[in-house]
Amino acid sequence: MLQTVRHDDPGAGGRYSSEVLTVVGHDDRDLLPGADLSEAGEFTHAVLAGLVLLRRLETYGRIQGPDEDGAAVRHLLAALDTRLLPRLEGLRDALVRAHQEGELGTYAALADALGVARSTVSTRVAALLARGPGEGERWATGALAPVVPPVLSTADALTQVQPLLLALAAGTATRGQALEAAALLRLLAVRGGWSPGRELAASGDAWFDLMCAILRDGPQVRTAGDLRALVPGQTPEELLPGYGMDLMPAVLPDDSRVPVLVYRPGTPAMGLPAAARHGEGALRQAADIFLRLPV
């Protein structure tokens, strides 16, 4: 809810100074950590500050002098370009993903909302699902990938990743658990000698682009719905091996919202997801073998 507050004495034209406030109800407030509220307020501040600055420059020319005025413009540009615009784009992408994953409407309805042709929105959605959530989208959903301390020992990383992999194999993992498992596996893969590959240009082939993301950043987390939407009518379980990729759970769950780990097998660390499919004993044995490697 928006609320306008008047304060101070009216100016020469009879107008009051005013503030436009966003009031968040108690139920909604519990959904948003404090940092999210303060960061969201930065959008409003940047828009109003930018508009006022432009109008003052247009009306008065210089405000405080070229150095000070230039610094003010650059400060707003930096905030917009490095933080706010990527997060607005992330919010848009998160809403599009939620629309598709939640089956909230047709492509035609989404195209109408975005003001584009249905063929255009179909291509956009396929590209969005292929690359997975970026940082801006993860900010919007509150699902920023967990940061695994680089000082975490190999033994501790193995201990922490095992229950997460078992939950993934069973299809009971939350998105947060899946992201944490992917981060731990990446750490273990680096310890085992894996190094990120070079970034390749987008090819338009959803599966190739997903493979490139794995080569560059390590295991990826997608939902079952994401993977099915990449190539409608085809079976991801059959397509993935052709691109050198594997997934867990081994068979995509019917629930499109279930998180799925997609990874590139072949390294010792990536033997852990495959072992987790066969149960706790097989996973423990694979972890013991990895621990004895010169990592």
Side-chain angles (χ1 to χ4, degrees):
M1 179 177 75
L2 295 179
Q3 178 178 341
T4 302
V5 179
R6 299 192 310 177
H7 57 86
D8 297 335
D9 295 328
R15 291 184 301 176
Y16 290 87
S17 297
S18 63
E19 294 177 354
V20 179
L21 306 177
T22 302
V23 180
V24 181
H26 291 295
D27 292 342
D28 290 337
R29 174 65 184 81
D30 292 339
L31 299 175
L32 295 170
D36 286 346
L37 292 178
S38 62
E39 289 171 356
E42 191 177 5
F43 289 93
T44 304
H45 172 80
V47 170
L48 291 176
L51 291 174
V52 168
L53 178 59
L54 286 172
R55 298 303 188 274
R56 293 181 69 188
L57 286 172
E58 291 168 359
T59 303
Y60 305 117
R62 297 278 187 256
I63 302 172
Q64 294 180 313
D67 291 342
E68 293 82 356
D69 293 350
V73 169
R74 290 191 296 274
H75 173 76
L76 278 171
L77 284 173
L80 287 167
D81 201 54
T82 62
R83 289 198 309 282
L84 302 183
L85 288 176
R87 287 179 172 179
L88 280 176
E89 291 174 353
L91 176 59
R92 177 205 59 201
D93 291 346
L95 290 169
V96 170
R97 192 184 298 276
H99 185 275
Q100 295 309 107
E101 289 183 356
E103 299 177 355
L104 303 180
T106 63
Y107 273 116
L110 184 59
D112 184 60
L114 295 174
V116 297
R118 187 187 183 284
S119 58
T120 300
V121 81
S122 178
T123 301
R124 283 189 187 179
V125 169
L128 173 67
L129 298 181
R131 68 174 179 265
E135 183 177 350
E137 188 177 348
R138 294 197 302 273
W139 170 83
T141 59
L144 284 170
V147 177
V148 175
V151 296
L152 190 69
S153 71
T154 299
D156 286 343
L158 284 168
T159 298
Q160 292 183 24
V161 79
Q162 290 182 56
L164 302 174
L165 291 176
L166 291 172
L168 276 164
T172 60
T174 65
R175 181 172 181 80
Q177 289 174 321
L179 289 169
E180 185 178 358
L184 288 165
L185 284 173
R186 186 182 189 280
L187 174 66
L188 291 169
V190 170
R191 296 269 175 87
W194 173 79
S195 59
R198 64 186 180 92
E199 187 167 357
L200 300 174
S203 67
D205 181 325
W207 295 105
F208 180 81
D209 291 343
L210 178 56
M211 179 190 72
C212 291
I214 292 173
L215 288 172
R216 183 183 68 245
D217 302 321
Q220 301 288 301
V221 175
R222 301 287 189 270
T223 65
D226 284 349
L227 294 172
R228 287 196 180 95
L230 290 182
V231 186
Q234 299 190 40
T235 306
E237 293 94 331
E238 296 176 355
L239 286 170
L240 283 164
Y243 288 85
M245 295 183 286
D246 203 350
L247 57 80
M248 64 182 305
V251 177
L252 288 181
D254 293 333
D255 188 340
S256 62
R257 298 166 297 180
V258 173
V260 177
L261 183 76
V262 187
Y263 62 98
R264 192 168 177 84
T267 65
M270 298 309 149
L272 298 170
R277 295 177 181 173
H278 301 288
E280 186 174 355
L283 177 57
R284 190 184 307 114
Q285 183 178 14
D288 289 342
I289 293 173
F290 186 89
L291 199 57
R292 293 197 295 270
L293 295 174
V295 295

